[in-house]
Amino acid sequence: MLKLIRGYVLHTLKNPFFEEEALEGFEDGALLIEKGKILELGDFSQVSKRYPDADVIYYKDAFILPGFVDCHVHYPQVPIIGAMGLRLLEWLDTRTLPEEARLADSDYARTQARVFLGLLARNGTTTALVFGAHFKEAMHVFFDEADKSGLRITSGLVLGDRLLKDELHTDPDKAYAENLELIRRWHNHGRLRYAVTPRFSLSCSDELLAVCGRLLKEQPDLFFTSHINEQIEEIETVLELFEDSSDYLSTYEKHGLVGKHSVFAHNVHVSDSELGRLAKAESSIAHCASSNMFIGSGLFDMKRHLEHQVQFALGSDVGGGTGFSLFKEGLMAYQGQMLQLAKGFPLTATQLLYLATLAGAKALHLDQTVGNFAVGKEADFMIVKAPDKSTLKQTLEHSPSAEASLAALFTLAREDSLLDVFVSGESVFV
Ligand code: GUN
Ligand code: ZN
């Protein structure tokens, strides 16, 4: 009944951007788990003395970290990861939207759902806000597979009624009816929740965004996600399409879509006014560092987000992003800040761990449940071990501190360093 997981435990207790001593580490540590929840955390010698009958599982030379929280990732886009040479609008037209149209076939959608969920788990991601597909049936099969996977998934039907491809377009009445059907079936079903998901205001008429607002008003516990302020050409088009809007955020605001359950991806080219309004609304930003570089969107202004106290966490943005690993996403976030010299924010490894775990849990309002190893939370964790002969192994052998070990993990650990991944104490590794 009692499981004692032994290894090098690391997690963040609080927000290291604003508070000291946020990182807690136990080099020979133990997580005590009962019925999927954390009962105790500490040095192995002490915890094992108090619970001599607990079942000990020893992960020698391995790290035990909280499961990652990915705040922005697209379920249909695994096949187009690495589509080089294209900026956002051309990348959508030539590679991404044609692939997304294939999910009209529900059998193909189910295969892609399984692949996608398996890859999240293999990369240590136990919780995610997932951009769905444009087809209702593709969302039923996705939620069905997500339910079986054990992962904590918030997702929704993607909406657009212009400027995409005809096959992907909906209309306001259809969107309302299909959302209601999916919400009734899947919202708060097990570990699943529903997010109203217009693709971006470029692809949505005012009437369609109004339907999104109506859904959120009728059911305030729903989530909301979309893209914002990603590329200059995109922003210019949005402002041409919405003549009465002075900036991108106001295209969402006017339909009641900017609140504390809202997560906006990217926000690279953002005004001070928008940052002030996002902070006031308590919305969150998914910072998608590798995607911002890969499709050439620009470098995230972390300093200004911090100054305005706008919450942000990490998003892999597969397939604009270059893979599922939030270790790599953390490294990209770090590099993106270093490149900006004095304008950038020099991140620490503790801050990266926070952004990949507790910050994401906060953005998704799951921080009472997951995000770190506070006693009473669900036991969502990953086991990370450097493969034999790997660069990571060599670097870790010389690590002088917990902070340095964590920095080595963000720099070098990838899929092949994950031994196992657990949600509520049960393995979800496939
Ligand atoms: N904006 C609208 N759709 C997308 C998408 O699929 N990926 C990214 N990165 N931005 C978008
Ligand atoms: Zn995206």
Side-chain angles (χ1 to χ4, degrees):
M1 196 65 151
L2 283 177
K3 269 199 286 192
L4 217 166
I5 311 292
R6 181 178 181 185
Y8 193 155
V9 181
L10 286 169
H11 70 148
T12 53
L13 296 165
K14 47 198 167 183
N15 184 343
F17 288 94
F18 298 107
E19 295 169 285
E20 302 278 309
E21 296 181 7
L23 183 68
E24 183 173 54
F26 299 95
E27 200 163 341
D28 186 7
L31 264 189
L32 187 72
I33 299 171
E34 187 185 39
K35 294 185 185 152
K37 287 191 161 72
I38 294 157
L39 191 63
E40 210 172 311
L41 164 73
D43 284 320
F44 173 75
S45 60
Q46 289 168 20
V47 181
S48 58
K49 229 177 269 159
R50 275 198 292 279
Y51 297 90
D53 297 331
D55 232 355
V56 177
I57 305 160
Y58 186 17
Y59 293 102
K60 200 169 174 324
D61 299 325
F63 293 86
I64 300 166
L65 304 181
F68 284 147
V69 181
D70 188 338
C71 288
H72 186 74
V73 55
H74 293 252
Y75 128 60
Q77 294 184 9
V78 174
I80 55 100
I81 293 171
M84 291 186 177
L86 303 162
R87 290 176 61 76
L88 176 64
L89 298 179
E90 209 188 339
W91 174 86
L92 282 169
D93 284 345
T94 61
R95 297 297 305 274
T96 310
L97 300 180
E99 175 58 33
E100 295 209 11
R102 296 183 68 194
L103 276 79
D105 173 349
S106 302
D107 290 338
Y108 182 68
R110 191 177 288 280
T111 303
Q112 290 310 112
R114 282 192 191 136
V115 165
F116 172 85
L117 293 158
L119 290 171
L120 280 180
R122 286 198 80 76
N123 281 276
T125 297
T126 49
T127 297
L129 175 58
V130 177
F131 232 82
H134 284 272
F135 305 98
K136 183 189 76 174
E137 283 312 318
M139 288 315 296
H140 276 302
V141 303
F142 176 70
F143 278 121
D144 184 45
E145 291 297 328
D147 191 31
K148 288 190 231 160
S149 76
L151 299 174
R152 299 182 200 281
I153 300 292
T154 305
S155 187
L157 178 70
V158 182
L159 304 175
D161 60 354
R162 64 179 177 195
L163 298 172
L164 298 172
K165 284 170 78 62
D166 281 349
E167 313 89 282
L168 300 178
H169 290 155
T170 185
D171 63 63
D173 289 343
K174 183 177 168 200
Y176 182 73
E178 292 190 342
N179 268 273
L180 270 194
E181 178 183 320
L182 288 161
I183 291 163
R184 287 195 182 123
R185 175 76 185 86
W186 299 109
H187 184 49
N188 291 328
H189 175 87
R191 295 175 184 142
L192 308 178
R193 299 178 311 168
Y194 198 83
V196 175
T197 310
R199 187 158 201 124
F200 56 164
S201 54
L202 189 150
S203 72
C204 299
S205 65
D206 270 309
E207 292 71 27
L208 188 58
L209 293 175
V211 161
C212 298
R214 181 176 165 201
L215 288 162
L216 293 181
K217 205 165 174 193
E218 288 171 354
Q219 224 168 304
D221 71 328
L222 290 171
F223 280 75
F224 175 82
T225 191
S226 195
H227 296 92
I228 196 166
N229 288 323
E230 188 174 1
Q231 289 205 351
I232 301 290
E233 307 90 296
E234 170 216 14
I235 297 167
E236 283 169 1
T237 309
V238 166
L239 295 182
E240 280 164 22
L241 288 165
F242 293 86
E243 281 174 352
D244 58 343
S245 292
S246 55
D247 53 36
Y248 207 138
L249 186 64
S250 63
T251 64
Y252 296 123
E253 275 171 334
K254 90 175 164 185
H255 296 291
L257 305 176
V258 184
K260 55 178 192 269
H261 283 180
S262 307
V263 179
F264 293 97
H266 303 286
N267 211 31
V268 176
H269 308 281
V270 58
S271 66
D272 282 337
S273 164
E274 287 173 297
L275 284 170
R277 280 142 55 207
L278 284 164
K280 194 155 176 241
E282 296 175 53
S283 296
S284 294
I285 300 302
H287 171 30
C288 307
S290 77
S291 166
N292 290 345
M293 294 183 204
F294 189 82
I295 45 182
S297 304
L299 297 172
F300 184 65
D301 201 335
M302 194 171 284
K303 259 194 180 163
R304 276 169 67 234
H305 282 75
L306 287 166
E307 278 159 18
H308 284 87
Q309 301 204 20
V310 177
Q311 287 203 78
F312 55 91
L314 298 184
S316 67
D317 196 25
V318 158
T322 57
F324 285 90
S325 174
L326 290 198
F327 283 125
K328 190 184 63 188
E329 209 53 48
L331 176 67
M332 294 290 153
Y334 173 82
Q335 292 176 162
Q337 294 308 306
M338 292 304 282
L339 271 175
Q340 297 180 68
L341 305 172
K343 248 186 102 230
F345 184 90
L347 286 160
T348 65
T350 297
Q351 286 163 343
L352 293 181
L353 181 63
Y354 171 77
L355 288 177
T357 56
L358 192 53
K362 281 190 176 155
L364 303 186
H365 294 255
L366 283 172
D367 53 311
Q368 298 304 310
T369 312
V370 294
N372 64 11
F373 297 136
V375 168
K377 286 195 184 182
E378 298 291 322
D380 289 14
F381 60 99
M382 66 180 103
I383 311 294
V384 188
K385 184 169 177 169
D388 265 353
K389 300 184 185 165
S390 64
T391 312
L392 176 60
K393 192 172 165 83
Q394 299 304 323
T395 304
L396 284 172
E397 267 174 27
H398 302 278
S399 172
S401 64
E403 183 78 23
S405 298
L406 202 50
L409 292 180
F410 275 99
T411 309
L412 292 163
R414 298 292 177 262
E415 248 170 37
D416 60 355
S417 300
L418 288 196
L419 280 192
D420 211 342
V421 179
F422 297 83
V423 172
S424 293
E426 300 290 330
S427 177
V428 292
F429 210 61
V430 282

